[in-house]
Amino acid sequence: MTRTPLKKAVRYGAIMMAAGAGLNAGIAQAQDSKGDITLAYVEWSSEVASTNVVRAVLEEQGYNVEMSSLSAAAMWQAVAYGDADGMVAAWLPSTHEQYLDEVGDKVENLGPNLQGTKLGLVVPSYTDISSIDELDDKADMVNDEIVGIDPGAGLMNLTENVIDEYDLDDAINLQSGSGATMTAALDSAIKNDEDIVVAGWTPHWMFARWDLKYLDDPKNVYGGAEHINTVVRQGLKDDMPEAYAILDNFEWTPEQMGEVMLMNQEEDSDPYENAKKWVDENPDVVDEWVNGDS
């Protein structure tokens, strides 16, 4: 059948109306947004969990949120110079001490969002080593190495100090990698009943999965219990007071964080979808972050 010019015009008009409707919807969505926020984080299982949860909460409140995965040093620099609006991944007072010293006057520290963290050398509970000062004599048990995480991480810097303070330079090598490669090495060793030493931290899902222990640190190089802080760029309070208040109010427990981290270890799981699920299932906690006193 031959189409008439009128029918062509009607079809064209319908297409333009549909396009216009889509454009108007996009404009309306943009107008509904309270703004764009970038959260910097490091690829530690704890920070993946917390940053995704904060993202889910901010998005519920109408913000467009982007997550930026960086090294620890770059994360602090990004917040200090405004490339990111904030982070909930600042390990203080020891792990990220040097970064805070470098840019402390360019950021705003909102204080702890999680208490009771710990850093140190971790071994399977069956390993016949109980203290770091035994590693010099028992280095061969652990293949003469400590399995670490990403180079430049505060934990790695502290572990390098541990090697120096305990005079382990000739006995132990520190192997860098990532959080994922560290836990993969730990998994492989335990499956084969082998001894291994890794640079680890609490909270971490590996303590729920395996029977592990920290080596004593008689020289206290790793320091005592730490806390994870929220740090934002200067000016965020004036630019986005509601988002600032949520970040300021954000605080949870290692047990709550552990719930999300374990969800993230399930096969084919999506940390963002897990975070949204946790947020949906914990409305009272989230309400304190959104409506609590800042």
Side-chain angles (χ1 to χ4, degrees), residues 25-40:
I27 293 173
Q29 185 177 10
Q31 289 174 341
D32 289 342
S33 171
K34 293 181 180 179
D36 298 329
I37 294 178
T38 299
L39 299 175

Side-chain angles (χ1 to χ4, degrees), residues 72-278:
M75 175 179 69
W76 280 86
Q77 292 288 321
V79 176
Y81 293 98
D83 295 322
D85 296 292
M87 58 174 163
V88 292
W91 283 61
L92 296 169
S94 301
T95 308
H96 289 169
E97 179 181 13
Q98 68 181 88
Y99 307 132
L100 180 61
D101 289 343
E102 292 171 1
V103 301
D105 60 340
K106 298 180 177 65
V107 300
E108 184 177 355
N109 184 358
L110 301 184
N113 61 60
L114 186 143
Q115 300 274 6
T117 67
K118 183 176 180 178
L119 302 172
L121 296 184
V122 177
V123 299
S125 60
Y126 58 73
T127 294
D128 187 24
I129 304 174
S130 59
S131 178
I132 296 174
D133 54 15
E134 297 176 35
L135 286 175
D136 192 14
D137 294 331
K138 298 183 177 181
D140 58 332
M141 287 179 57
V142 295
N143 200 31
D144 303 320
E145 68 179 12
I146 296 169
V147 179
I149 56 171
D150 45 300
L155 175 60
M156 292 292 278
N157 294 334
L158 285 171
T159 304
E160 290 172 356
N161 293 340
V162 163
I163 290 173
D164 290 338
E165 290 294 325
Y166 286 89
D167 296 321
L168 299 174
D169 303 80
D170 295 331
I172 292 286
N173 294 312
L174 176 59
Q175 300 296 326
S176 62
S178 66
T181 58
M182 179 270 287
T183 53
L186 187 59
D187 182 37
S188 177
I190 291 174
K191 285 179 177 177
N192 292 289
D193 294 320
E194 296 172 349
D195 295 304
I196 187 173
V197 178
V198 303
W201 65 94
T202 303
H204 195 291
W205 57 265
M206 64 184 179
F207 289 95
R209 176 164 295 182
W210 300 299
D211 190 5
L212 307 171
K213 65 182 180 182
Y214 279 99
L215 296 184
D216 292 338
D217 178 15
K219 296 187 178 182
N220 199 34
V221 180
Y222 282 113
E226 291 207 312
H227 41 81
I228 306 176
N229 284 29
T230 300
V231 175
V232 300
R233 64 171 174 83
Q234 291 184 350
L236 181 65
K237 186 174 185 179
D238 294 331
D239 297 340
M240 296 181 176
E242 291 181 31
Y244 174 94
I246 292 171
L247 288 166
D248 197 14
N249 291 332
F250 172 61
E251 184 175 5
W252 62 346
T253 67
E255 291 75 22
Q256 290 167 332
M257 177 187 276
E259 293 173 7
V260 181
M261 287 194 292
L262 280 176
M263 291 166 64
N264 291 345
Q265 295 310 306
E266 296 175 3
E267 187 174 358
D268 298 324
S269 68
D270 182 335
Y272 174 53
E273 294 300 325
N274 291 338
K276 290 195 294 183
K277 182 175 185 288
W278 190 91

Side-chain angles (χ1 to χ4, degrees), residues 33-50:
S33 171
K34 293 181 180 179
D36 298 329
I37 294 178
T38 299
L39 299 175
Y41 72 107
V42 289
E43 285 284 349
W44 290 10
S45 58
S46 52
E47 312 327 317
V48 170
S50 59

